[in-house]
Amino acid sequence: MDDLLKKIEQIPDKSESAINEALKSRSGKTALEQIDKGTPVSKGQLRRGHKHARGADAYKVVYGNLSFKIRPKTKYEYLKYPDLGIGTSAKKSAQEFLNRGLDRSVPKIHQQLLNAVEKIL
């Protein structure tokens, strides 16, 4: 991250827009892919032939200034229960697949942001 900060300091007036563009064009999608890979699939759903969240475009990305937030779409709100260990999953440990997916995507997102800033330099 130090490399990225040094490069941002070199172009303070242009770095914000470059980072926002990289987040919107590539990094949000990168995070979604990694989160989707880790989304659990209930064995019961597979046996009954039900559609499950993995691979079903179950998440939405909301972009902010120098940030993005990933949340389940309304139809897939149930994903928060096993992830946080609340509601119907209260007696089970939190699965934290959203955080693990985001953690897996951080190195690639870091590189995407670095490339976006270097492109301006």
Side-chain angles (χ1 to χ4, degrees):
M1 288 298 202
D2 291 337
D3 293 342
L4 181 59
L5 289 174
K6 287 176 186 172
K7 292 185 187 300
I8 288 172
E9 289 172 352
Q10 292 175 8
I11 51 166
D13 55 329
K14 297 178 183 175
S15 59
E16 184 176 344
S17 61
I19 289 172
N20 278 328
E21 178 59 33
L23 290 173
K24 288 179 183 175
S25 66
R26 292 180 295 278
S27 301
K29 293 173 189 164
T30 299
L32 278 178
E33 290 169 3
Q34 292 302 315
I35 289 170
D36 191 54
K37 285 181 186 178
T39 300
V41 178
S42 165
K43 291 181 177 114
Q45 283 181 318
L46 289 175
R47 272 188 256 127
R48 293 187 302 265
H50 289 226
K51 188 174 182 179
H52 49 85
R54 187 186 298 167
D57 193 28
Y59 303 100
K60 62 183 171 187
V61 183
V62 179
Y63 295 97
N65 187 36
L66 302 175
S67 67
F68 61 84
K69 185 188 319 183
I70 297 176
R71 301 258 314 136
K73 290 182 178 175
T74 305
K75 181 178 177 180
Y76 299 99
E77 279 289 319
Y78 68 87
L79 291 171
K80 67 183 174 187
Y81 300 119
D83 192 49
L84 299 174
I86 60 172
T88 57
S89 299
K91 295 179 181 168
K92 300 175 185 173
S93 62
Q95 293 184 13
E96 299 180 347
F97 53 88
L98 290 168
N99 286 332
R100 284 196 313 272
L102 189 58
D103 288 344
R104 283 192 305 268
S105 66
V106 167
K108 193 169 189 177
I109 291 172
H110 175 260
Q111 189 60 48
Q112 291 167 348
L113 297 178
L114 194 59
N115 290 345
V117 173
E118 285 177 345
K119 187 177 178 181
I120 293 175
L121 288 172

